[in-house]
Amino acid sequence: MAQRVPVSEACGPAASKRVSRVRVAVRLRPYMEKQDKKAEGPCVRGLGPQSLEIVNWRNATETLQYQFDAFHGEQASQQEIFLSSVKPVLPHVLSGQNASVFAYGPTGAGKTHTMLGNPEEPGLIPRAVREVFSLATERERESADWTYSVGMSYLEIYNEKVLDLLSPGSTDLPIREDKDRNIVVQGLTHMPIDSFSHFHALFAPASLNRTTASTKLNQRSSRSHAILLIKVVRSLKSPPYRQQMGKLYLVDLAGSEDNRRTGNQGLRLKESGAINLSLFTLSKVVDALNVGGAGRVPYRDSKLTRLLQDSLGGSAHSVMIANIAPEYKYYFDTFSALNFAAKSKLIVNRPFVREAVPSCAPTVPVKRPRDEQGPRAASEPHRKRSKEGAGDEHDGDPGQGRPCRCVGEHLLTDAGRKCTPKLSSCPLHRPPPSPPVSSVLERLLALEKLMMGSPERERLKLLKTVAESRKEIQELRRKQQELESRALVINTSDKAVPPFHRKQSTAARPKKQQAVVPPLQVLQPVPPTSVCKPLLCASVKSQQVTKALKGKENKQAGSCGSEGDWASRLDPTMLERSRQQILSVLNTGTLRELKGLQLIGDKKAKLIQGWREIHGSFAQVEDLQRIEGITAKRFSSFLKANVLCSVGK
């Protein structure tokens, strides 16, 4: 079973870090004049070995600058990219840790060329595999205690289906999580390889099985995500025969596509939809990891992100090669790729060494059942305790003519008794370190104390229950006394019904109280007039209230509708001055001043301003009625309120 070992305990160069940030390198594809029909020139240029700038699409006179771990310009070679970005993470794979290198970018930006290359300029994948074999050979030469074995698997994700490229006839393979929480593809072909030439003989024909097609932007566009898995197992030759397993993921992602420019239709359109959906899920994973916290990371929303779970926020040393194009026709694709790369470099992984110990190696003492310990074990408990504690006493010796067999890490005779293991005959079965007898005695004393203390806990629990019951009884008695006192006060006026008193019991066991049922009382019938009279009074009263409300409404309507009642009581000069002030505010007032008028809110103030911009100034105050929603009745109320307010000031 694989187990995690802290990185500080691992040997090799991988032992210096506990966390690893995703390293991001940007590669700029050479400028192609054929694709720049408008002769606009490049929109991206490098500023240094780690920085670049791109034209701001909102303002062509400005540029946006980005800072990454490495920037490779148009003249950068495959060897330079490999040495600066990929080679530093390969030693971790040989030390039992995971590493991943994946190319990201829009379609036509050169991702497949970066990963595969050509016979003259090999890509990152053949260079990385050659370097793995070189490091394994060098370490075997330096230390004879370890051996290295290398294997490979090759798959593609096409239309959200996992296909085995080493076995072309395979169907969609399921993705599982094993007991050690490692992501595995069930049924994926794993081929052991012993040299780079052996790898190339398997990898070259398998690459031809990958799905590709031609679009308007790319003559040989990848229609799937390709993932090459290189597994390195590091085994210790001497006991305890430990094994450390490291995995190297080399991923060539399909590029995001704009179907308006690629001209995809039919099957190509379906393929681009699956590609864009998986890349969108990848972006959501990066955003969720940058936010942090205990939120959900949508790894399971796509098979691509499920396989890259270790690479993003997991336990791998990750390197991302972001490929971009300099032409203006790729501007928005390049802009989004740079933003994605900037977010990805903030992700932190926590690598660890995956180490497995063979099942036959002794890890913990094996406790045998009682029936295998022989008849003497029941009569000698002290011998049994010493066997379990020290593990160094034995009842037989395989050298005395009694044959022994190997069970667990002990040698058992035919009688089933334990004897000293023979290290010469079974070098794996070494006895574990014996714990001191005092620790066994301490555990026995603690167990005895626990068993003796059990009745005490039960007694305390019972006492607590009795105390709670007594408390409930006292509370019920108190409530009963309150009810009796209330009943006594209510029944003082009625002597026919005696007050309720609890009968005191004189016997040992109280008798059940008999229920007392009082005789029925015949009520006097209510005459019909007494019922109809209140109803009649209520109807008359409701009619009076209705008439009063109607009279009040008519009075209010008359007071609001007629201006002469209140205007005749004012001085004409003062009235005219108030009207002029209101007219001045309506014509020249700001939104705040208009809202300061009585019965004018925010909506009406904006309507007044809009009417003023369209029709000009108000000739008289009565023109306010031309605004939507201001009726004659509302205008009269508005004029009265503002004039009286002005006079009051």
Side-chain angles (χ1 to χ4, degrees):
M1 177 179 177
Q3 55 183 344
R4 297 188 179 191
V5 179
V7 178
S8 58
E9 298 178 7
C11 57
S16 59
K17 289 188 177 181
R18 291 184 179 271
V19 296
S20 175
R21 181 178 58 81
V22 175
R23 292 178 52 85
V24 178
V26 177
R27 183 178 191 182
L28 180 62
R29 176 175 60 75
Y31 176 76
M32 298 182 181
E33 296 183 358
K34 295 181 180 180
Q35 297 192 12
D36 191 5
K37 298 180 181 179
K38 297 182 180 180
E40 295 175 315
C43 62
V44 183
R45 67 172 182 177
L47 299 177
Q50 294 180 335
S51 60
L52 72 154
E53 65 176 2
I54 183 173
V55 176
N56 186 0
W57 64 277
R58 292 186 177 90
N59 187 357
T61 61
E62 298 178 355
T63 59
L64 302 175
Q65 296 185 3
Y66 291 88
Q67 191 81 14
F68 297 102
D69 296 297
F71 171 72
H72 305 286
E74 300 178 4
Q75 304 301 325
S77 63
Q78 303 276 48
Q79 180 70 6
E80 294 177 7
I81 299 173
F82 172 75
L83 293 177
S84 63
S85 300
V86 179
K87 187 178 179 179
V89 303
L90 297 181
H92 299 289
V93 181
L94 277 75
S95 300
Q97 301 182 46
N98 291 349
S100 63
V101 180
F102 57 97
Y104 179 89
T107 181
K111 300 181 297 300
T112 304
H113 174 74
T114 300
M115 298 303 292
L116 299 181
N118 51 50
E120 294 77 17
E121 282 282 332
L124 300 182
I125 289 179
R127 293 176 186 271
V129 176
R130 189 187 297 273
E131 181 67 18
V132 167
F133 280 107
S134 176
L135 289 174
T137 304
E138 181 180 350
R139 291 195 178 186
E140 285 182 347
R141 191 182 304 113
E142 293 176 355
S143 175
D145 296 335
W146 294 89
T147 59
Y148 296 86
S149 59
V150 184
M152 66 171 289
S153 300
Y154 197 19
L155 62 92
E156 71 170 351
I157 303 175
Y158 174 72
N159 282 343
E160 284 300 303
K161 294 181 180 179
V162 179
L163 305 178
D164 191 352
L165 294 178
L166 293 177
S167 178
S170 63
T171 57
D172 187 13
L173 302 178
I175 301 175
R176 298 284 186 262
E177 187 173 349
D178 62 6
K179 60 183 179 180
D180 299 324
R181 307 197 69 176
N182 297 320
I183 306 301
V184 296
V185 180
Q186 187 175 353
L188 182 64
T189 304
H190 179 76
M191 300 292 294
I193 51 178
D194 51 11
S195 63
F196 177 77
S197 59
H198 188 193
F199 161 78
H200 185 72
L202 296 173
F203 180 74
S207 299
L208 300 178
N209 296 328
R210 186 180 178 187
T211 307
T212 58
S214 175
T215 64
K216 290 183 178 180
L217 296 181
N218 195 354
Q219 291 294 331
R220 192 172 182 271
S221 175
S222 301
R223 314 309 297 166
S224 63
H225 308 293
I227 301 177
L228 174 65
L229 172 60
I230 301 296
K231 185 184 296 184
V232 180
V233 179
R234 181 173 181 246
S235 304
L236 186 63
K237 296 181 180 179
S238 58
Y241 302 99
R242 293 183 299 149
Q243 289 184 350
Q244 296 177 353
M245 182 178 63
K247 297 179 182 179
L248 174 62
Y249 295 89
L250 299 168
V251 186
D252 180 15
L253 297 176
S256 58
E257 294 183 349
D258 186 354
N259 293 316
R260 295 170 297 183
R261 294 191 292 117
T262 56
N264 292 331
Q265 293 180 356
L267 182 59
R268 300 286 89 80
L269 185 63
K270 181 181 178 181
E271 294 170 349
S272 65
I275 293 171
N276 292 337
L277 180 60
S278 60
L279 294 177
F280 175 68
T281 306
L282 180 63
S283 178
K284 289 197 301 182
V285 168
V286 172
D287 291 337
L289 292 173
N290 288 334
V291 170
R296 174 181 176 270
V297 181
Y299 288 118
R300 296 177 181 266
D301 291 359
S302 172
K303 293 187 178 181
L304 173 64
T305 53
R306 185 67 169 152
L307 290 174
L308 294 181
Q309 184 170 345
D310 276 346
S311 304
L312 298 173
S315 57
H317 299 269
S318 301
V319 176
M320 186 181 79
I321 310 295
N323 292 264
I324 58 176
E327 293 83 14
Y328 267 92
K329 63 184 299 183
Y330 293 97
Y331 177 83
F332 288 103
D333 295 329
T334 300
F335 185 68
S336 60
L338 291 175
N339 289 334
F340 178 81
K343 292 186 294 184
S344 299
K345 73 175 184 178
L346 303 177
I347 299 175
V348 176
N349 296 338
R350 290 169 176 79
F352 59 88
V353 176
R354 288 167 172 79
E355 184 173 288
V357 181
S359 58
C360 59
T363 54
V364 294
V366 178
K367 185 177 180 180
R368 293 185 293 127
R370 184 182 297 273
D371 54 359
E372 295 182 3
Q373 295 179 1
R376 297 177 58 185
S379 61
E380 298 179 1
H382 63 281
R383 178 184 291 273
K384 176 182 175 182
R385 287 197 299 269
S386 63
K387 287 180 182 180
E388 294 178 354
D392 54 353
E393 298 183 9
H394 62 277
D395 294 330
D397 189 356
Q400 296 179 1
R402 285 173 288 186
C404 298
R405 64 183 185 275
C406 180
V407 176
E409 74 274 9
H410 300 286
L411 292 174
L412 302 180
T413 63
D414 290 340
R417 291 174 295 181
K418 183 171 60 177
C419 62
T420 306
K422 276 191 173 182
L423 300 182
S424 60
S425 60
C426 187
L428 295 180
H429 298 158
R430 299 185 183 276
S434 302
V437 181
S438 59
S439 62
V440 178
L441 295 178
E442 290 176 359
R443 290 199 298 270
L444 290 175
L445 291 175
L447 179 61
E448 182 180 3
K449 184 177 179 181
L450 180 63
M451 295 177 64
M452 294 298 292
S454 179
E456 182 68 20
R457 288 199 302 270
E458 293 294 335
R459 188 178 69 84
L460 293 176
K461 185 177 180 180
L462 182 60
L463 291 177
K464 184 177 180 181
T465 306
V466 171
E468 292 177 355
S469 301
R470 288 178 178 175
K471 188 176 180 180
E472 291 180 359
I473 293 172
Q474 292 178 0
E475 185 68 19
L476 291 174
R477 286 178 179 176
R478 185 183 62 79
K479 290 183 179 180
Q480 183 179 358
Q481 291 176 1
E482 291 181 358
L483 293 175
E484 289 178 356
S485 60
R486 291 180 184 177
L488 182 62
V489 173
I490 294 173
N491 296 329
T492 50
S493 58
D494 191 359
K495 301 298 182 181
V497 181
F500 174 76
H501 294 285
R502 184 174 181 179
K503 185 178 179 180
Q504 299 294 332
S505 176
T506 56
R509 295 180 63 183
K511 298 180 180 180
K512 294 183 179 180
Q513 295 182 0
Q514 299 294 332
V516 179
V517 180
L520 295 175
Q521 297 180 2
V522 181
L523 299 177
Q524 296 294 332
V526 180
T529 56
S530 61
V531 178
C532 297
K533 188 175 180 180
L535 295 175
L536 183 60
C537 295
S539 62
V540 173
K541 187 174 182 181
S542 62
Q543 292 177 4
Q544 292 177 356
V545 172
T546 305
K547 291 181 180 179
L549 291 175
K550 289 183 178 179
K552 187 176 180 180
E553 291 177 359
N554 294 333
K555 185 177 178 180
Q556 290 179 354
S559 62
C560 294
S562 61
E563 181 183 348
D565 294 340
W566 59 271
S568 60
R569 294 194 297 269
L570 296 177
D571 186 11
T573 306
M574 188 174 297
L575 178 62
E576 185 62 26
R577 188 190 313 154
S578 301
R579 292 170 64 92
Q580 291 298 327
Q581 291 178 357
I582 296 172
L583 183 62
S584 176
V585 173
L586 292 176
N587 288 331
T588 61
T590 61
L591 182 64
R592 185 174 181 181
E593 292 175 349
L594 290 173
K595 290 168 61 176
L597 295 175
Q598 300 293 325
L599 303 182
I600 296 296
D602 184 71
K603 182 177 179 181
K604 290 293 186 293
K606 292 180 179 179
L607 288 175
I608 292 172
Q609 283 187 337
W611 192 92
R612 211 163 57 189
E613 292 177 359
I614 298 173
H615 303 284
S617 302
F618 292 91
Q620 54 184 356
V621 182
E622 284 73 10
D623 291 345
L624 189 61
Q625 302 181 34
R626 299 172 61 183
I627 294 178
E628 180 183 0
I630 300 182
T631 60
K633 181 179 178 180
R634 188 175 183 86
F635 171 75
S636 179
S637 301
F638 162 78
L639 187 61
K640 178 181 177 181
N642 284 279
V643 169
L644 293 179
C645 182
S646 177
V647 171
K649 293 181 180 179

